[in-house]
Amino acid sequence: MASKLLLIAVFVLDLIAFGLAVAAEQRRSTAKIVQDSEVNYNYCVYDSDISTGYGVGAFLFLMVSQALIMAASKCFCCGKGLNPSGSRAWAVILFIVCWLFFLIAEICLLAGSVRNAYHTKYRTIFSEQPPSCETVRKGVFGAGAAFIFLNAIVNKFYYICYSSARDKSFQAYGGETGVGMGTYK
């Protein structure tokens, strides 16, 4: 039977990660071009950088959540063999999908956090073209939040299928000790 305590703990961690990713999307840095007081050059002024912290927090909470599920299931590759059944087949499929969603979410969160933390440092002096005030594209943290949500669903189903396949006792010869030892006529 799947551990209810583990599922609740992972749900809470995933919920926090999702909330932080949504908050990071809402609080992305914005920039505006400002002229200096002597009007010699233009430069970019960025507002709050809080979404970088939110993105990193979501990244870490999702990583801990994934680590808990993988540690509890022994990363699917260690431990005793699983009962060959539909639960094992679904566990294999969900294991792969779970890791795929996890990697996509982590890449979105990390890329968004790094890009949000980067601010253009150059200025334009006596130039007609204003500087490029680069910011994170809209939807990067949102995509991370979406994949956190998908990963939260898939990793719970993975753990339940894994636990179901693990708990069914597997006996290679149906429990008979004398297989092949019968009398022949």
Side-chain angles (χ1 to χ4, degrees):
M1 181 67 190
S3 169
K4 291 178 185 167
L5 180 62
L6 177 73
L7 289 173
I8 291 170
V10 169
F11 174 76
V12 169
L13 289 171
D14 286 337
L15 189 63
I16 293 170
F18 179 79
L20 287 172
V22 170
E25 178 65 31
Q26 295 297 317
R27 300 290 311 266
R28 287 178 298 114
S29 291
T30 57
K32 61 181 178 179
I33 299 171
V34 176
Q35 222 172 26
D36 75 335
S37 59
E38 298 173 5
V39 192
N40 290 335
Y41 57 87
N42 297 326
Y43 60 95
C44 299
V45 174
Y46 292 88
D47 66 350
S48 172
D49 196 26
I50 192 73
S51 65
T52 299
Y54 288 157
V56 170
F59 177 88
L60 294 174
F61 275 104
L62 182 61
M63 187 178 292
V64 170
S65 166
Q66 186 79 358
L68 279 175
I69 287 287
M70 292 304 138
S73 67
K74 298 179 182 121
C75 201
F76 198 69
C77 57
C78 302
K80 72 176 193 169
L82 298 179
N83 184 22
S85 65
S87 294
R88 183 176 78 170
W90 277 110
V92 170
I93 293 167
L94 292 171
F95 176 80
I96 294 167
V97 172
C98 177
W99 274 105
L100 181 67
F101 287 165
F102 170 76
L103 290 174
I104 293 171
E106 292 287 271
I107 288 168
C108 288
L109 293 171
L110 188 61
S113 295
V114 167
R115 189 68 178 151
N116 193 67
Y118 174 77
H119 297 282
T120 308
K121 302 289 187 213
Y122 67 88
R123 303 171 183 167
T124 58
I125 300 176
F126 302 115
S127 174
E128 293 182 20
Q129 292 184 344
S132 170
C133 300
E134 298 182 14
T135 58
V136 177
R137 284 184 149 215
K138 188 174 186 175
V140 174
F141 289 116
F147 279 101
I148 288 171
F149 178 74
L150 293 173
N151 187 54
I153 293 169
V154 171
N155 72 12
K156 311 274 179 312
F157 282 129
Y158 157 70
Y159 183 66
I160 290 168
C161 288
Y162 173 84
S163 296
S164 176
R166 182 192 62 206
D167 291 343
K168 293 178 184 174
S169 61
F170 176 62
Q171 297 175 352
Y173 299 108
E176 297 177 14
T177 58
V179 172
M181 304 300 283
T183 56
Y184 297 103
K185 294 184 182 182

XYZ file of all heavy atoms in Angstrom, residues 33 41-43 122-132:
133
model
N 13.373 52.501 -20.013
C 14.563 53.248 -20.436
C 14.513 54.628 -19.792
O 13.494 55.325 -19.848
C 14.607 53.370 -21.969
C 14.683 51.973 -22.581
C 15.783 54.222 -22.404
C 14.528 51.950 -24.071
N 23.287 59.926 -22.022
C 23.086 58.516 -22.369
C 21.773 58.015 -21.786
O 21.200 58.614 -20.892
C 24.259 57.661 -21.898
C 24.544 57.744 -20.422
C 23.888 56.920 -19.517
C 25.480 58.648 -19.917
C 24.140 57.007 -18.164
C 25.736 58.735 -18.572
C 25.074 57.911 -17.694
O 25.319 57.989 -16.357
N 21.342 56.883 -22.335
C 20.142 56.196 -21.866
C 20.571 54.902 -21.198
O 21.572 54.300 -21.578
C 19.209 55.858 -23.033
C 18.693 57.095 -23.730
O 18.479 58.124 -23.097
N 18.497 56.991 -25.026
N 19.801 54.475 -20.239
C 20.087 53.196 -19.590
C 18.781 52.563 -19.106
O 17.737 53.214 -19.088
C 21.082 53.365 -18.440
C 20.621 54.292 -17.335
C 20.006 53.781 -16.199
C 20.811 55.672 -17.431
C 19.580 54.625 -15.186
C 20.398 56.511 -16.429
C 19.785 55.980 -15.305
O 19.360 56.813 -14.313
N 24.788 47.676 -20.253
C 25.367 48.705 -21.105
C 24.447 49.915 -21.244
O 23.270 49.855 -20.964
C 25.727 48.144 -22.476
C 24.547 47.741 -23.307
C 23.916 48.660 -24.125
C 24.059 46.435 -23.284
C 22.831 48.305 -24.882
C 22.976 46.075 -24.035
C 22.359 47.016 -24.842
O 21.288 46.655 -25.593
N 25.025 50.973 -21.730
C 24.301 52.217 -21.960
C 24.521 52.629 -23.412
O 25.466 52.195 -24.048
C 24.838 53.324 -21.054
C 24.771 52.989 -19.602
C 25.506 54.037 -18.818
N 25.503 53.663 -17.414
C 26.262 54.229 -16.520
N 27.101 55.164 -16.848
N 26.201 53.844 -15.257
N 23.688 53.510 -23.897
C 23.913 54.064 -25.228
C 24.273 55.533 -25.069
O 23.569 56.291 -24.407
C 22.658 53.935 -26.108
O 21.587 54.596 -25.474
C 22.311 52.478 -26.349
N 25.370 55.896 -25.659
C 25.822 57.288 -25.564
C 25.600 57.964 -26.919
O 26.097 57.494 -27.943
C 27.310 57.352 -25.172
C 27.497 56.677 -23.813
C 27.805 58.787 -25.159
C 28.937 56.591 -23.374
N 24.876 59.037 -26.913
C 24.586 59.820 -28.109
C 24.113 58.935 -29.268
O 24.557 59.073 -30.390
C 25.817 60.624 -28.556
C 26.318 61.556 -27.506
C 27.553 61.384 -26.929
C 25.532 62.625 -27.069
C 28.022 62.243 -25.967
C 25.992 63.485 -26.102
C 27.232 63.297 -25.548
N 23.241 58.044 -28.972
C 22.750 57.133 -29.997
C 21.250 57.340 -30.159
O 20.554 57.670 -29.205
C 23.023 55.686 -29.602
O 22.419 54.815 -30.523
N 20.791 57.126 -31.367
C 19.366 57.275 -31.605
C 18.596 56.038 -31.185
O 17.419 56.117 -30.891
C 19.127 57.578 -33.080
C 19.658 58.942 -33.488
C 19.358 59.244 -34.932
O 18.451 58.624 -35.509
O 20.034 60.118 -35.481
N 19.249 54.891 -31.181
C 18.561 53.667 -30.794
C 18.665 53.477 -29.288
O 19.763 53.521 -28.732
C 19.175 52.462 -31.492
C 18.942 52.465 -32.988
C 19.491 51.213 -33.627
O 20.273 50.498 -33.025
N 19.076 50.963 -34.850
N 17.527 53.248 -28.629
C 17.571 53.041 -27.177
C 18.181 51.670 -26.849
O 18.220 50.782 -27.703
C 16.100 53.093 -26.772
C 15.356 52.731 -28.001
C 16.186 53.213 -29.163
N 18.663 51.506 -25.629
C 19.239 50.203 -25.256
C 18.163 49.115 -25.205
O 16.981 49.401 -25.069
C 19.817 50.455 -23.861
C 19.030 51.594 -23.332
C 18.674 52.444 -24.515
N 18.594 47.900 -25.343
C 17.679 46.773 -25.276
C 17.559 46.331 -23.821
O 18.485 45.758 -23.266
C 18.216 45.622 -26.127
O 17.479 44.465 -25.899
